[in-house]
Amino acid sequence: MSENRSHSAPAMSHAAPPAPAPRPGGVAVLAKAMRLIDLLGERGEMSPAQISELIDEPRSTVYRLLATLADLEFVEAGHGRGSYRLGFKLFALGSTVVQRFDERTAALPVMERLHDETGETVFLCVRRDRQAVCIERLEGLRVALLELRLGGALPLHLGAAPRALLAFEPESTWQDYLDGVALQPRAPASPLSRSDVLAELASTRQRGYAVSDQDVTIGVASVGAPIFGHTGTVQASVSIGGLRDVVLGDGSPIPGLVVAAAGEISRALGHRQ
């Protein structure tokens, strides 16, 4: 303080030092980098011009981000001239995260057998808040399914694997879920009302497995069953998806195979019915 301050002014001794100025620039750059990575994960290989347009950033900014991410091995040059794709560093990090799931370790051999027996797409999902997240997926041999890719998610009321996660939780959990979710349709057969969802959850619990009959994708069906841990609570779900006539056709073995697989995985996790 200046020595010329008026003596009538109150003393300001022991004042706290000013807080450091926030640095939004670093956070903003990180957010842009994550948007770029998310875009490459969603769209696949892209050029800087395409990325610039979709994330609404100048091309010069995109080039700088790509250069930094390439140095860190998060992105790499694509097959196309001047294009980029996700790098192996992200694959390695993702694999490390996936390995943390005991459910995946126990389920993978059973899923591989299901895949060999049916030739259809096999999914393993866990719950995250109000969604089912796919933590393993073995691609079908007959048809490529576009929904629920590895790392992707669906609401718990849509699809067989998600409904299998919710249906075998306490009914109070059903009500809490419906209080916090919007029932937006994915297909004409998607449940549109609270009563529709509750009825489907009750049917799922009664039969012991969930059935998705074109409620996510027209022409596609799936069957899912819950996986229980040693405490008796639902830990995950396993499902098979494919063309409706194959999955739900007369005499289809898929529902029985899925239920048996879920039971085998549950026992591997220590569940005793």
Side-chain angles (χ1 to χ4, degrees):
M1 286 182 290
S2 170
E3 294 181 356
N4 294 328
R5 178 183 294 273
S6 168
H7 292 290
S8 62
M12 297 292 289
S13 59
H14 307 296
R23 296 189 295 175
V27 175
V29 171
L30 180 59
K32 292 175 184 178
M34 290 307 302
R35 286 170 58 199
L36 192 156
I37 288 173
D38 287 342
L39 186 62
L40 289 177
E42 177 185 344
R43 300 292 184 94
E45 191 172 306
M46 300 182 70
S47 70
Q50 292 171 315
I51 296 170
S52 174
E53 181 178 354
L54 290 172
I55 70 172
D56 195 26
E57 292 288 343
R59 199 171 302 183
S60 58
T61 299
V62 171
Y63 276 114
R64 286 196 298 271
L65 288 172
L66 287 169
T68 300
L69 292 171
D71 288 341
L72 297 171
E73 300 181 354
F74 289 141
V75 302
E76 63 185 24
H79 292 296
R81 182 179 176 86
S83 65
Y84 287 84
R85 63 188 180 190
L86 295 181
F88 278 104
K89 175 65 71 66
L90 286 171
F91 176 80
L93 291 173
S95 298
T96 300
V97 173
V98 168
Q99 290 295 335
R100 291 166 47 197
F101 291 100
D102 291 339
E103 295 87 352
R104 180 183 180 275
T105 302
L108 191 55
V110 183
M111 294 175 66
E112 289 172 341
R113 191 174 69 243
L114 275 182
H115 183 261
D116 291 342
E117 291 178 3
T118 67
E120 305 299 333
T121 305
V122 185
F123 303 89
L124 179 69
C125 293
V126 295
R127 179 173 181 175
R128 184 179 64 194
D129 298 327
R130 292 185 172 87
Q131 293 185 315
V133 180
C134 178
I135 63 170
E136 186 55 86
R137 169 181 165 135
L138 303 181
E139 199 67 47
L141 304 177
R142 295 187 180 90
V143 59
L145 303 183
L146 300 179
E147 290 289 346
L148 203 55
R149 295 193 177 277
L150 185 63
L154 281 174
L156 290 173
H157 67 282
L158 288 178
R163 275 203 292 271
L165 289 171
L166 183 59
F168 293 87
E169 292 193 356
E171 292 187 18
S172 59
T173 304
W174 303 358
Q175 303 292 343
D176 291 342
Y177 171 77
L178 289 168
D179 287 341
V181 71
L183 301 179
Q184 298 179 348
R186 290 288 188 98
S190 298
L192 296 177
S193 69
R194 192 182 187 99
S195 60
D196 288 342
V197 174
L198 291 173
E200 189 58 46
L201 292 173
S203 296
T204 296
R205 181 180 288 186
Q206 184 175 16
R207 75 168 75 93
Y209 60 89
V211 174
S212 170
D213 189 355
Q214 306 182 89
D215 68 334
V216 177
T217 304
I218 296 174
V220 171
S222 60
V223 174
I227 296 169
F228 298 94
H230 71 280
T231 62
T233 58
V234 180
Q235 298 291 107
S237 63
V238 62
S239 68
I240 290 180
L243 294 176
R244 183 188 185 279
D245 291 344
V246 174
V247 176
L248 300 180
D250 293 339
S252 171
I254 287 178
L257 291 173
V258 170
V259 171
E264 183 177 347
I265 300 167
S266 296
R267 289 190 293 276
L269 292 173
H271 177 62
R272 298 292 180 266
Q273 187 169 354

